[in-house]
Amino acid sequence: MDIIVGVKVIYEEQDISVNASGGLDVSSAAPKIGQFDLNALQAACDIKAQIPDAKIKALSIGGKVLENPKVQKDILSRGADELYILAGDEFANLSSTKTAQLFAEAARQIGYSLIITGDGSADVFSSCVGLLAGARLDIPAINGISAIKDINSASISVLRDTGTLSQELLIPLPAAIALSSDINTPAPPSMKAILAASKKGVSTLSLSLQDSLDSMSKPTSTTNKQREHKIEPDDSDESVARFVLNLKQALGE
Amino acid sequence: MKEIFVICDEPSKLDELVGVANALSQKVSVVDFGFETSDISADFVIKFDQKAQMIEEYANSIADILKDKDALVLMPSNRVSKALGARLSVLLNASIATEVKELRLENDKLMAKRLIYGGVAEYWLETDSKIAIALLSPGAAQKANSSKTPVQISAKFIAPKHKIELLSSTPKQKAGVDLSSAKKIVAIGRGVANESDLAMVNELCLSLGAELGCTRPIAESSKWLPHERYIGISSVMARPNFYLAIGVSGQIQHMIGIKDAGKIIAINKDKNAPIFEYADYGIVGDLYKVVPEILKAIKG
């Protein structure tokens, strides 16, 4: 069973700064795997624990940051057997429809029985690339998967949380599933897995966009509400008293 | 002028979407999924001749109605709409924008404002497709009042090519709380060491008349509180007048959920915790010393 896991590499949010023109500066921010994609890698590992001959193929589309060996090793140390990347400036900051078009084409090339994506990417959180890719591949595609109950070569039995309903579904394979972020708690990679990662293969895909349905403007920083920033530096009795006074003021008392 | 189709699986979101549709266009159609639509102010209400088990199964049927239209589809931003909307997007070669914070129609082109990096920045998605699909967050566009009496249209149900079997479906047990409309919230994060400390925090909530919220790890890893109480990008977006964060570090994914709060107050023992950058008032200190002092002061 070939399992494709969608992995988006994003930047450490706390280190993103705003430049003078209001644009985002990520030059000091470290790349990392989006937090919801860690759930997808973990879910694939959990399936592999049941079906040992399953092969986990991580697929990542994005800017040249994907060529960073540290980023690649991080993905491969979290259970992926193989990593496929589509990297280049033209693939950074794509809309969901464009990413899905490339994702579906990549999936066709590398082969799959199951496609797993997270709840959404941790940067734009559109939560629809896996669903769009599944629709493009003309396979069942469903989201909100909160538990995988059983899987065999023909189907996968899951629990789904729609937000208002708890559903139990039987999905014929091949299929694309997007997870609910509470499906699992991703385990940190073991030392053995980190060492093994450097021996695994990274394949570079060559694809180009065919259709363009939309375009994205350059991101600009949002204006945050002005805050008072009255922070007591310690919890001495005097500081606590001042803090409590401010808190009561905020309550309108 | 674009014709607008409202496709809404959540009865509570229907009024707002229809109001937005009427503000944007004079031709509004609403797809009827079987809940009360008799008082809807639209030009047409479309009902299928067969009821599907899952809303997502209507994709081919809806696509068949829309295929030759110059249309904008409005949906709520939830999981069912994302699954249905994605299938429609591919069937109709239509652009799709989810979690839309602001929506405009400019020269009949959909412009959708979305957030990036949990609200650090925003961008506009401009669509070039004849049909565009927008999944709206509450308050994304102006509504218009109107009093139309819709013409009922019957349409043919077309079964999906691939059948996902629905084995069971039960309404979710809600936590009985809607944090998105709470005026006062006390939220806890990983700085709260033990589940038994919830008793102290609950007592504080009771004294303040506040609802209890939490960060993602408290709901999803520790599972001390239900998902409905988790504030952040993938869950509740709240706008309280008063927000007290106890042991919350201030990760962006959480802070986006309360960025528009009236006053943000933080207690954290780590002076470098990002929460202090967002706070009006804060204290670098031990929550087990500070919280009892607040309780004492509030109770007088």
Side-chain angles (χ1 to χ4, degrees):
Chain A
M1 174 177 291
D2 288 352
I3 304 169
I4 292 181
V5 179
V7 177
K8 186 166 185 181
V9 173
I10 61 160
Y11 290 96
E12 184 58 63
E13 299 91 340
Q14 310 290 356
D15 299 328
I16 296 172
S17 54
V18 177
N19 60 30
S21 57
L24 296 186
D25 178 2
V26 295
S27 57
S28 310
K32 64 172 188 179
I33 301 170
Q35 58 172 323
F36 305 115
D37 299 339
L38 294 175
N39 294 126
L41 283 164
Q42 183 64 50
C45 291
D46 294 344
I47 291 173
K48 191 166 174 161
Q50 285 180 50
I51 305 175
D53 69 345
K55 189 180 272 183
I56 302 174
K57 302 171 172 183
L59 170 58
S60 193
I61 298 170
K64 284 190 172 158
V65 65
L66 292 179
E67 291 166 355
N68 180 332
K70 206 174 152 201
V71 169
Q72 295 176 351
K73 199 174 164 187
D74 192 18
I75 298 171
L76 287 166
S77 68
R78 292 172 189 273
D81 296 302
E82 297 168 358
L83 170 62
Y84 293 83
I85 60 167
L86 181 60
D89 292 338
E90 68 275 35
F91 304 121
N93 305 317
L94 291 178
S95 71
S96 302
T97 54
K98 288 176 180 167
T99 307
Q101 190 189 124
L102 294 163
F103 193 104
E105 190 47 43
R108 265 189 208 106
Q109 285 189 12
I110 64 185
Y112 61 90
S113 314
L114 178 66
I115 294 172
I116 307 178
T117 50
D119 199 359
S121 62
D123 53 358
V124 297
F125 202 75
S126 72
S127 312
C128 63
V129 167
L131 297 165
L132 286 165
R136 281 189 162 268
L137 293 164
D138 200 16
I139 58 175
I142 202 81
N143 54 359
I145 305 306
S146 55
I148 294 173
K149 292 185 73 182
D150 192 24
I151 182 164
N152 56 49
S153 59
S155 63
I156 179 167
S157 161
V158 299
L159 299 182
R160 181 191 190 211
D161 177 354
T162 72
T164 55
L165 298 170
S166 297
Q167 298 176 329
E168 188 176 353
L169 307 174
L170 184 66
I171 309 166
L173 295 179
I177 58 170
L179 308 178
S180 169
S181 58
D182 60 355
I183 189 169
N184 56 40
T185 303
S190 65
M191 188 49 73
K192 192 180 161 195
I194 293 169
L195 292 171
S198 43
K199 298 188 186 94
K200 294 177 181 174
V202 178
S203 304
T204 303
L205 299 164
S206 176
L207 295 168
S208 55
L209 275 168
Q210 303 301 317
D211 300 328
S212 177
L213 299 173
D214 44 34
S215 54
M216 283 165 65
S217 69
K218 255 193 150 51
T220 53
S221 69
T222 48
T223 42
N224 281 325
K225 205 169 169 168
Q226 288 294 312
R227 299 288 173 187
E228 297 194 37
H229 298 299
K230 289 184 183 166
I231 312 298
E232 300 299 332
D234 55 55
D235 58 8
S236 65
D237 292 348
E238 298 76 28
S239 296
V240 173
R242 269 194 304 272
F243 173 73
V244 170
L245 205 64
N246 282 331
L247 182 143
K248 287 181 81 171
Q249 203 177 16
L251 281 166
E253 289 182 6
Chain B
M1 182 191 67
K2 279 206 185 289
E3 189 173 345
I4 306 217
F5 287 80
V6 174
I7 301 173
C8 182
D9 65 296
E10 272 189 81
S12 62
K13 306 274 173 71
L14 186 59
D15 269 354
E16 178 173 3
L17 292 178
V18 171
V20 170
N22 280 313
L24 293 170
S25 174
Q26 285 168 13
K27 195 169 180 190
V28 174
S29 298
V30 176
V31 173
D32 181 342
F33 287 130
F35 44 81
E36 188 53 54
T37 53
S38 59
D39 59 349
I40 281 178
S41 177
D43 300 281
F44 304 99
V45 167
I46 302 161
K47 194 165 188 164
F48 293 102
D49 61 2
Q50 198 180 316
K51 197 168 171 1
Q53 276 193 303
M54 292 170 70
I55 297 286
E56 292 85 348
E57 293 174 7
Y58 288 104
N60 293 71
S61 315
I62 296 169
D64 192 55
I65 295 168
L66 282 163
K67 63 187 178 206
D68 299 318
K69 308 275 187 192
D70 183 2
L72 170 63
V73 176
L74 297 183
M75 306 173 90
S77 211
N78 61 29
R79 279 188 175 145
V80 170
S81 293
K82 283 172 183 172
L84 175 61
R87 188 67 64 172
L88 287 174
S89 162
V90 172
L91 289 169
L92 296 163
N93 204 29
S95 174
I96 182 169
T98 63
E99 309 282 350
V100 174
K101 301 295 174 200
E102 191 179 333
L103 172 135
R104 291 184 201 154
L105 266 183
E106 289 181 7
N107 301 323
D108 258 7
K109 278 189 174 180
L110 168 70
M111 302 281 291
K113 186 160 92 177
R114 302 193 72 255
L115 299 180
I116 185 167
Y117 280 109
V120 175
E122 61 194 24
Y123 67 90
W124 287 90
L125 186 83
E126 182 180 341
T127 65
D128 295 321
S129 52
K130 202 171 162 201
I131 299 175
I133 302 168
L135 276 64
L136 304 189
S137 299
Q142 295 281 329
K143 296 183 287 181
N145 290 323
S146 61
S147 52
K148 297 172 181 172
T149 305
V151 174
Q152 304 284 327
I153 295 176
S154 178
K156 190 171 166 45
F157 176 75
I158 302 167
K161 187 172 162 190
H162 307 284
K163 178 81 177 161
I164 292 177
E165 208 176 324
L166 179 67
L167 303 175
S168 69
S169 181
T170 47
K172 271 186 74 180
Q173 290 288 323
K174 284 279 174 192
V177 61
D178 179 12
L179 287 190
S180 64
S181 58
K183 298 291 175 218
K184 294 178 199 169
I185 295 176
V186 173
I188 58 167
R190 274 190 291 196
V192 175
N194 305 301
E195 191 172 4
S196 57
D197 298 329
L198 284 175
M200 173 179 74
V201 180
N202 276 323
E203 190 186 347
L204 181 63
C205 286
L206 211 60
S207 303
L208 294 170
E211 291 290 352
L212 178 60
C214 66
T215 60
R216 182 172 171 234
I218 296 291
E220 295 189 348
S221 299
S222 312
K223 297 188 190 294
W224 292 351
L225 292 172
H227 199 265
E228 287 83 359
R229 292 194 185 270
Y230 146 39
I231 298 166
I233 187 170
S234 58
S235 188
V236 178
M237 306 290 266
R239 211 174 180 164
N241 297 328
F242 174 93
Y243 173 80
L244 172 59
I246 302 175
V248 171
S249 65
Q251 293 297 311
I252 279 181
Q253 283 84 3
H254 174 72
M255 297 314 295
I256 181 63
I258 46 101
K259 73 191 271 282
D260 296 323
K263 292 287 181 206
I264 295 180
I265 300 130
I267 305 168
N268 201 299
K269 66 181 177 189
D270 176 7
K271 69 176 180 1
N272 297 317
I275 185 88
F276 290 125
E277 290 171 31
Y278 302 90
D280 290 287
Y281 308 117
I283 184 163
V284 179
D286 182 357
L287 67 95
Y288 300 96
K289 177 176 180 186
V290 179
V291 172
E293 289 300 321
I294 300 173
L295 273 167
K296 216 189 292 173
I298 299 295
K299 288 179 174 174

